[in-house]
Amino acid sequence: MPSASLIKQKVVYCLEHHRSMDIAACVRDEMQLLSETCSLGDDFWEARLRVAFQLLFRSIQVGARHPVIAEHIILPALRIISQACTPPKTQTTEPGGFSAKSVGSFVKTAAILQETPVTRPAKENVEKDKELENTPKGQDLLLVNYLEWKNGATYVEFVRRLTISQNVKPAQKSRKDSRKSDALALKYILRWKRKACKVSLTEDLKCFEDSSWVRELVLSACSQPIRQEMCALIEVLCSQSVARKSKFLDLFMNLLPASRTAGESAAEYFDLLFKMIEDEDARLYLTVRGFLRTACSLISEEVVRVEAQERSFHTDISQGYTLHKLIELLNKFLQVPNVRIRFMKEDLLSQILEALLVIRGLVVQKTKLISDCGRLLRELLDNLLQESDDNKRHFVRACISGLQTPDHDRKDRRCLFILEQLCNITNQSLHICLFSTKLTRKRSLSVAR
């Protein structure tokens, strides 16, 4: 489409010379025009959406942390993609047989994880719907990955490929041979088209195959609207497929170390993560993937970082924000009985006790968030101790290990607290038997004479 191509050329030129140009004044009208035209359901919707993807990735490469680029290029492109991936509440059909907003949703998974094939229920027309009725419900259809679609493959071509592959029946050899030849012809045509229509704009986006660009947007320090828009997009995608949600859970767990340096810029990330783990199955899934050990290690590292600033005589009111969120996450997971059993088996109690001892010894960095972290850790330990005698034995071993840890600066306070905890567990309180007595005064029967 000529207009989309001109918009792309101008925006790319502005990106390449952003240090000497006013980005806001140069691309504002073009991005608004692209946004309005992408909502149309004509024959060129794929070309315009493809331009939006290319501009998004190119702008992230050039200046993901540049405030002007983030506000005037990344944010509008992200909103276009989010609108295309969000299913409309009322399904209105265009003349082509598909809705204007839902046609773009088949590229949503590949846009987030480009190595993952894109999936969506194929709806090209009524005949295609009847042909796809035999597909098992709840399963996504593999249509296209992002790189193929970026290089010129169209939605109709992949629906045709899927239809041909589904209609092949082993009992009918003649029809099988003809359809096999059609499938091979379509396969090599698409392969030729990908090679002939290669776009050198983003160099196949190799640097984004590990989804690092998602981290740049979810934890963006220069724009809160970008963080909100990206988290809203991920939430929409997770609600449409269980398999896709599991991939995002893995991605978000891998982003936990990066959230330590983001500070309060990770607020939207943690809010979305808490929503994703509301289901108990999600917590069990992440537990199997090693979340408990990762969370405890990050808590220990964050406590050590805060303790290292104790001698700086500088304090920040937001100190301990990430630590507070990590402890809340751990508490959320430990609400599940099977997760608590796994937590005790992996012998992670000593790390939590060590973090509590360090927090109790802080003076300069003792902000409200840090105090809340100490309270949460103490409540976590108390709840575990009240559960069973096995947990008490694990706690005693953790206390003995804590006594052996060298800490010359706060050795007295550390040992005193640990010994108090050991005394509370080992010394059984004396049970004093109380007997209730009722004293009555006997009336004298003697009569004075």
Side-chain angles (χ1 to χ4, degrees):
M1 186 177 179
S3 61
S5 178
L6 292 175
I7 291 174
K8 182 180 70 175
Q9 292 177 7
K10 182 174 181 179
V11 174
V12 171
Y13 179 82
C14 294
L15 286 173
E16 293 174 351
H17 303 83
H18 68 278
R19 299 183 183 276
S20 59
M21 297 183 64
D22 186 1
I23 298 291
C26 292
V27 303
R28 183 185 295 111
D29 296 335
E30 282 72 13
M31 295 305 297
Q32 183 178 359
L33 176 61
L34 181 62
S35 177
E36 293 178 356
T37 54
C38 280
S39 62
L40 301 177
D42 55 10
D43 295 336
F44 300 100
W45 66 270
E46 284 185 275
R48 291 189 292 265
L49 189 60
R50 192 176 289 114
V51 169
F53 273 104
Q54 292 171 348
L55 292 180
L56 173 67
F57 294 141
R58 180 61 175 171
S59 56
I60 293 174
Q61 279 185 320
V62 174
R65 303 178 184 181
H66 194 286
V68 179
I69 295 177
E71 180 180 357
H72 295 282
I73 300 180
I74 296 179
L75 183 58
L78 189 61
R79 284 174 176 168
I80 293 172
I81 297 169
S82 179
Q83 181 183 6
C85 296
T86 304
K89 295 181 179 179
T90 57
Q91 195 79 8
T92 58
T93 306
E94 296 293 334
F98 43 83
S99 62
K101 292 185 178 180
S102 63
V103 288
S105 62
F106 76 94
V107 294
K108 52 197 171 191
T109 306
I112 304 302
L113 299 171
Q114 294 182 17
E115 70 275 11
T116 306
V118 179
T119 59
R120 85 176 283 273
K123 288 187 178 181
E124 183 183 6
N125 49 38
V126 178
E127 296 179 358
K128 293 291 187 296
D129 292 338
K130 293 181 180 179
E131 293 174 356
L132 299 178
E133 284 180 356
N134 296 327
T135 304
K137 293 183 179 180
Q139 297 182 0
D140 292 333
L141 302 177
L142 299 179
L143 292 182
V144 54
N145 60 38
Y146 175 77
L147 290 178
E148 291 182 71
W149 180 75
K150 177 182 74 71
N151 291 334
T154 62
Y155 169 69
V156 178
E157 292 173 348
F158 286 94
V159 172
R160 188 181 299 116
R161 176 200 294 179
L162 178 66
T163 306
I164 292 174
S165 63
Q166 285 186 341
N167 289 335
V168 174
K169 297 181 180 180
Q172 301 176 355
K173 295 184 178 181
S174 59
R175 299 177 64 183
K176 176 181 178 181
D177 296 338
S178 62
R179 284 170 179 169
K180 182 178 180 180
S181 61
D182 293 339
L184 289 175
L186 181 61
K187 172 184 176 181
Y188 289 107
I189 288 174
L190 291 175
R191 182 177 296 180
W192 168 81
K193 190 172 183 179
R194 285 196 299 270
K195 293 182 179 180
C197 303
K198 279 188 176 180
V199 183
S200 60
L201 179 64
T202 55
E203 297 177 353
D204 290 339
L205 308 171
K206 292 181 180 179
C207 61
F208 294 110
E209 290 180 357
D210 58 347
S211 301
S212 62
W213 69 276
V214 180
R215 179 186 61 192
E216 293 288 344
L217 299 186
V218 171
L219 302 177
S220 176
C222 62
S223 177
Q224 183 181 8
I226 286 182
R227 299 196 301 267
Q228 294 174 346
E229 193 70 33
M230 191 64 196
C231 289
L233 174 60
I234 294 176
E235 186 176 3
V236 169
L237 299 180
C238 289
S239 64
Q240 298 172 1
S241 172
V242 177
R244 191 178 299 131
K245 182 179 179 180
S246 65
K247 294 182 181 296
F248 280 112
L249 286 173
D250 292 335
L251 175 62
F252 270 45
M253 191 179 74
N254 294 332
L255 290 181
L256 277 175
S259 66
R260 287 184 51 211
T261 58
E264 292 186 346
S265 298
E268 292 79 10
Y269 160 77
F270 280 113
D271 291 341
L272 179 57
L273 183 56
F274 275 104
K275 290 181 182 179
M276 295 171 67
I277 63 173
E278 282 295 330
D279 189 8
E280 185 175 320
D281 294 338
R283 281 174 274 177
L284 292 174
Y285 172 78
L286 286 181
T287 301
V288 175
R289 305 289 287 181
F291 172 83
L292 294 178
R293 192 169 296 278
T294 301
C296 291
S297 299
L298 292 176
I299 289 174
S300 301
E301 293 174 5
E302 188 67 14
V303 166
V304 171
R305 185 191 66 82
V306 174
E307 186 186 23
Q309 300 179 5
E310 185 71 6
R311 296 183 179 85
S312 64
F313 300 104
H314 296 286
T315 184
D316 185 3
I317 194 173
S318 63
Q319 185 74 270
Y321 177 82
T322 305
L323 179 62
H324 191 273
K325 289 296 184 181
L326 290 172
I327 297 175
E328 285 184 341
L329 272 175
L330 186 60
N331 270 322
K332 186 78 171 177
F333 274 77
L334 293 180
Q335 292 176 2
V336 183
N338 292 335
V339 177
R340 290 198 299 270
I341 295 174
R342 182 72 172 264
F343 179 81
M344 302 306 295
K345 285 183 177 180
E346 294 185 359
D347 198 17
L348 300 174
L349 198 60
S350 58
Q351 297 186 28
I352 301 301
L353 178 61
E354 181 67 23
L356 177 60
L357 293 173
V358 174
I359 289 177
R360 282 175 53 86
L362 296 178
V363 178
V364 178
Q365 304 297 328
K366 197 78 169 183
T367 62
K368 185 179 183 303
L369 287 172
I370 294 293
S371 300
D372 291 341
C373 291
R375 177 182 55 81
L376 290 175
L377 289 176
R378 186 62 185 270
E379 292 176 356
L380 186 151
L381 292 176
D382 292 341
N383 293 333
L384 291 175
L385 290 177
Q386 294 173 4
E387 187 175 4
S388 66
D389 292 335
D390 290 336
N391 292 353
K392 291 182 181 179
R393 285 192 285 269
H394 283 285
F395 182 72
V396 170
R397 286 197 292 267
C399 289
I400 295 174
S401 176
L403 287 174
Q404 298 173 352
T405 302
D407 189 358
H408 302 288
D409 296 337
R410 301 182 181 88
K411 184 176 181 180
D412 296 337
R413 295 184 61 184
R414 169 192 287 268
C415 294
L416 179 61
F417 176 78
I418 293 177
L419 291 175
E420 287 178 354
Q421 301 302 313
L422 291 175
C423 289
N424 293 335
I425 295 176
T426 57
N427 291 342
Q428 299 294 331
S429 59
L430 298 178
H431 296 284
I432 302 176
C433 298
L434 300 178
F435 299 95
S436 60
T437 59
K438 184 177 182 181
L439 301 176
T440 59
R441 183 179 179 182
K442 185 177 182 181
R443 186 177 180 180
S444 177
L445 298 177
S446 61
V447 180
R449 291 184 178 180

